[in-house]
Amino acid sequence: MATSNVKRTLGNLNEESFVSLLTKIIGESKFLQNNPPELIPEEDRVVKHVLDCLLPYSTTTGAGPLVVNHVTYFPGRGNLIVEYPGTEPGKILSFVGMHMDVVTANPNDWDFDPFSLSIDGDKLRGRGTTDCLGHIVLVTELMRRLAETKPKLKSTVVAVFIANEENSAITGVGVDALVKDGLLDKLKGGPLFWIDTADKQPCIGTGGMIPWKLHVTGKLFHSGLAHKAINPLELGMEALEEIQLRFYKDFPPHPKEQVYGFATPSTMKPTQWSYPGGGINQIPGECTIAGDVRLIILSGLTPFYK
């Protein structure tokens, strides 16, 4: 079916249905925060709402064409693969990366409740509206509309809703486990769109994320006799400064970043600092600095590829 015919068949986005589903899912966002060990998301809360929308159009109930596969590696933390079958074997198009977890939100830092959907003019507000619960609702509406209108497409359309994207402290839960089990192998046969960007516009380029950790060992002693201690906090700061200087020398901004609209160049920075605890008058014996690298990947132009 021609693209123009598909657009006419599917029609415009049903705003009432979109907002209704988004309201339900944003309402779960308090339980979707990903920052272990304190906060471990329960992605199946989102899966339930998506299934409520799509199962009536699935082969599971016998009432529609959608093939639904709920894949779980940890209790309450499922992934969801939904397929709309095409007419030609081997032809496939996929939407992957719509993740069902969110970063943390402190309600005291917000002007409105982050864990419920609110509407301010043409703005939809709440934790996850752009990263990435809004994407989940959009793709769910697309799959539902495909199942309702049943256009004859050559390519099978696959949507992969994933768990555990926002934090890598726990592995074997989300897309990494799906890949390991070969559940995404067939997606290699056609174009794959990664649907996850912290904004509302299409994303034509992205930056890779690499977590890092620096553990520093010093010598514990009373701060009044600092000459008998080795201060790991100071050591860590000195080491990190040198590491960052080398990083920005090796990965400077590239002119092509402006062409593709990157708001920031590659970065390496600390985001967390921890130590075993103790009094203000005590130099600790160790500390850990952790952070991430955001590496802009321009194939053939980024030093990473060399």
Side-chain angles (χ1 to χ4, degrees):
M1 180 179 287
T3 302
S4 58
N5 292 336
V6 173
K7 289 182 178 179
R8 283 196 296 269
T9 300
L10 295 180
N12 295 324
L13 175 69
N14 184 325
E15 293 186 10
E16 182 179 351
S17 178
F18 178 89
V19 172
S20 175
L21 181 56
L22 185 61
T23 299
K24 295 175 184 177
I25 291 180
I26 295 294
E28 305 284 9
S29 58
K30 181 178 181 180
F31 306 99
L32 304 176
Q33 298 176 93
N34 195 344
N35 189 30
E38 293 84 6
L39 296 170
I40 298 178
E42 304 169 34
E43 288 92 345
D44 274 353
R45 288 175 174 266
V46 177
V47 171
K48 177 184 181 300
H49 293 297
V50 175
L51 289 178
D52 286 345
C53 181
L54 298 183
L55 279 181
Y57 306 95
S58 72
T59 58
T60 304
T61 60
L66 296 180
V67 180
V68 177
N69 185 14
H70 182 195
V71 184
T72 302
Y73 298 97
F74 284 81
R77 306 201 61 191
N79 305 270
L80 194 63
I81 303 174
V82 182
E83 299 184 20
Y84 177 77
T87 59
E88 293 191 11
K91 290 187 68 67
I92 197 163
L93 179 148
S94 60
F95 302 102
V96 186
M98 300 80 68
H99 58 88
M100 298 176 283
D101 59 333
V102 300
V103 296
T104 58
N106 182 350
N108 295 328
D109 297 335
W110 291 56
D111 297 329
F112 51 89
D113 180 11
F115 303 129
S116 64
L117 184 71
S118 58
I119 301 176
D120 179 19
D122 62 351
K123 296 179 181 178
L124 300 175
R125 309 186 306 180
R127 171 55 86 214
T129 51
T130 58
D131 186 18
C132 183
L133 304 182
H135 300 72
I136 288 170
V137 177
L138 182 65
V139 176
T140 298
E141 288 292 313
L142 170 63
M143 300 306 290
R144 180 181 64 81
R145 192 63 184 145
L146 285 171
E148 285 179 336
T149 58
K150 299 182 177 67
K152 293 188 180 300
L153 305 179
K154 293 180 180 179
S155 296
T156 293
V157 179
V158 181
V160 183
F161 305 89
I162 63 172
N164 200 48
E165 189 273 346
E166 292 289 5
N167 195 294
S168 59
I170 300 174
T171 59
V173 179
V175 70
D176 55 335
L178 296 176
V179 170
K180 182 179 179 181
D181 283 353
L183 295 176
L184 305 185
D185 285 354
K186 65 181 178 181
L187 305 187
K188 299 175 184 178
L192 184 155
F193 297 90
W194 186 266
I195 311 297
D196 175 25
T197 178
D199 213 328
K200 303 169 187 68
Q201 292 78 34
C203 178
I204 58 173
T206 189
M209 189 276 199
I210 307 169
W212 59 266
K213 184 179 294 184
L214 177 64
H215 184 77
V216 185
T217 301
K219 183 181 179 183
L220 174 71
F221 214 85
H222 195 284
S223 63
L225 299 170
H227 64 291
K228 292 188 176 183
I230 298 176
N231 194 326
L233 305 177
E234 294 179 333
L235 284 177
M237 288 187 286
E238 292 287 339
L240 182 57
E241 180 183 19
E242 179 63 24
I243 292 170
Q244 286 182 298
L245 287 172
R246 294 191 184 194
F247 176 88
Y248 289 112
K249 180 181 179 181
D250 290 341
F251 300 96
H254 192 281
K256 283 285 187 180
E257 293 172 12
Q258 298 300 316
V259 176
Y260 287 98
F262 286 99
T264 179
S266 298
T267 61
M268 177 188 180
K269 64 281 183 189
T271 58
Q272 295 178 335
W273 197 307
S274 60
Y275 78 108
I280 193 71
N281 61 348
Q282 190 177 58
I283 296 174
E286 60 182 305
C287 71
T288 300
I289 310 171
D292 70 5
V293 171
R294 297 285 176 159
L295 187 68
I296 291 178
I297 299 173
L298 295 170
S299 182
L301 301 176
T302 304
F304 177 79
Y305 282 97
K306 299 177 182 178

